[in-house]
């Protein structure tokens, strides 16, 4: 029999950012359902829904459109989840975006507007999500966001998203400090590169993946399932003593020079 410490049975979760069945958010939502959780998940809009719903529907995942830039939509999805579940036990934020012109160019050439939008969507929306969800997490729980190695070191072609992810990881530490007294744990999960829709927007992404595989002590890339497994563990009672960390699931690349 599975220990309740290593289970999500009966847990209620909100997972943001499914673009298709290769999305990290989808991997997390699928595994959460397999482990017994009830899940409300988001996709960006009706166009994205056509690619997402065929995968979430059979799993019993309640899919809601949510554009975090659109006024009221983040509030609406939290309200929907709370009305459906009564409370929340875990929240996973897997949203990142920057204008391609800024993402593909040098950081020194990035536009003020592009940087501000990238920061708002990819970083500040996590803080907003915390503000909205915390009142509905009476028993505590977990909040996760997704980051990348380029937050702490300069990775070719990652550009503007490096500083944005650095800000996100700092946000995680401050939120962990502020929400700890409410028994809410906050983490950043840092996967190695995998081929997602978001990843495909990075210039020369094939080179980035090849470099990661060559550097990794495990001599391979990680899988969507491995990223989901770490994320699920961090939402379990077994991880109750952990908060405020950036935790890598990258085959060991972060440990190498």
């Amino acid at each position: 029999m599975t220990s309740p410490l290593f289970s999500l049975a009966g847990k209620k979760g909100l997972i943001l950012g499914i673009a298709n069945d290769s999305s990290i958010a989808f991997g997390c939502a699928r595994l959460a359902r397999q482990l017994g959780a009830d899940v409300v998940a988001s996709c960006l809009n009706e166009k994205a829904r056509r690619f997402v719903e065929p995968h979430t529907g059979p799993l019993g995942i309640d899919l809601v459109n949510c554009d975090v830039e659109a006024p009221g939509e983040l509030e609406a999805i939290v309200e929907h989840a709370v009305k459906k579940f009564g409370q929340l036990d875990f929240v996973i934020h897997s949203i990142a975006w920057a204008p391609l012109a800024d993402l593909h160019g040098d950081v020194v050439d990035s536009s003020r507007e592009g940087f501000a939008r990238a920061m708002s969507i990819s970083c500040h929306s996590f803080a907003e999500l915390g503000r909205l969800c915390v009142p509905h997490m009476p028993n505590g729980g977990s909040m996760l966001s997704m980051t990348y190695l380029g937050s702490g070191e300069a990775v070719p072609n990652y550009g503007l998203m490096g500083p944005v992810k650095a800000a996100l990881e700092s946000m995680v530490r401050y939120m962990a400090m502020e929400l700890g007294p409410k028994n809410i744990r906050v983490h950043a999960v840092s996967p190695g590169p995998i081929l997602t829709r978001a990843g495909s927007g990075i210039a020369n992404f094939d080179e980035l993946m090849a470099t990661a595989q060559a550097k990794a002590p495990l001599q391979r890339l990680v899988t969507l399932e491995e990223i989901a497994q770490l994320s699920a563990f961090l939402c379990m009672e077994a991880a109750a003593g952990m908060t405020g960390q950036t935790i890598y699931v990258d085959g060991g690349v972060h440990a190498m020079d």
Side-chain angles (χ1 to χ4, degrees):
M1 183 176 178
T2 302
S3 165
L5 289 175
F6 292 92
S7 172
L8 292 178
K11 300 289 187 183
K12 314 298 183 183
L14 175 61
I15 300 176
L16 301 187
I18 303 180
N20 54 37
D21 62 337
S22 297
S23 298
I24 290 173
F26 176 70
C28 292
R30 177 175 57 192
L31 183 58
R33 287 291 293 143
Q34 291 171 353
L35 294 173
D38 295 313
V39 174
V40 168
S42 81
C43 61
L44 179 61
N45 50 31
E46 283 300 314
K47 181 179 178 181
R49 177 179 286 271
R50 298 200 306 268
F51 299 97
V52 176
E53 198 162 36
H55 304 287
T56 56
L59 297 175
I61 295 167
D62 186 0
L63 186 66
V64 179
N65 296 357
C66 181
D67 178 351
V68 299
E69 283 195 289
E73 291 201 9
L74 197 56
E75 290 84 351
I77 193 172
V78 173
E79 182 179 354
H80 175 87
V82 171
K83 185 175 181 180
K84 184 180 182 72
F85 296 147
Q87 67 178 56
L88 291 169
D89 300 298
F90 64 90
V91 179
I92 298 177
H93 171 278
S94 185
I95 298 173
W97 182 88
L100 284 180
D102 294 297
L103 183 62
H104 290 169
D106 291 341
V107 171
V108 294
D109 294 324
S110 61
S111 68
R112 180 174 297 184
E113 296 78 9
F115 184 85
R117 286 189 70 192
M119 189 69 77
S120 176
I121 294 169
S122 310
C123 180
H124 190 258
S125 62
F126 187 51
E128 291 183 282
L129 195 60
R131 173 177 57 81
L132 294 168
C133 291
V134 164
H136 307 292
M137 302 176 77
N139 300 319
S142 296
M143 294 192 67
L144 311 180
S145 193
M146 298 295 157
T147 185
Y148 177 61
L149 183 68
S151 63
E153 59 184 72
V155 175
N157 300 309
Y158 198 59
L160 184 64
M161 287 308 299
V164 172
K165 292 297 190 182
L168 177 65
E169 291 179 21
S170 181
M171 180 91 73
V172 162
R173 292 188 289 271
Y174 277 90
M175 288 173 63
M177 176 180 68
E178 294 166 359
L179 302 181
K182 300 178 186 295
N183 195 33
I184 295 173
R185 308 180 299 277
V186 189
H187 292 290
V189 172
S190 186
I194 63 169
L195 192 57
T196 63
R197 184 177 178 186
S200 65
I202 298 171
N204 300 315
F205 192 67
D206 288 346
E207 289 182 20
L208 192 150
M209 290 194 296
T211 299
Q213 183 168 348
K215 288 180 65 176
L218 294 182
Q219 300 182 341
R220 64 174 178 85
L221 300 176
V222 295
T223 66
L224 184 63
E225 290 73 22
E226 288 168 333
I227 299 166
Q229 288 160 16
L230 171 60
S231 301
F233 168 72
L234 293 172
C235 295
M236 293 177 181
E237 295 305 317
M242 302 168 61
T243 194
Q245 298 180 68
T246 295
I247 303 174
Y248 297 91
V249 52
D250 66 355
V253 173
H254 71 280
M256 308 305 290
D257 290 332

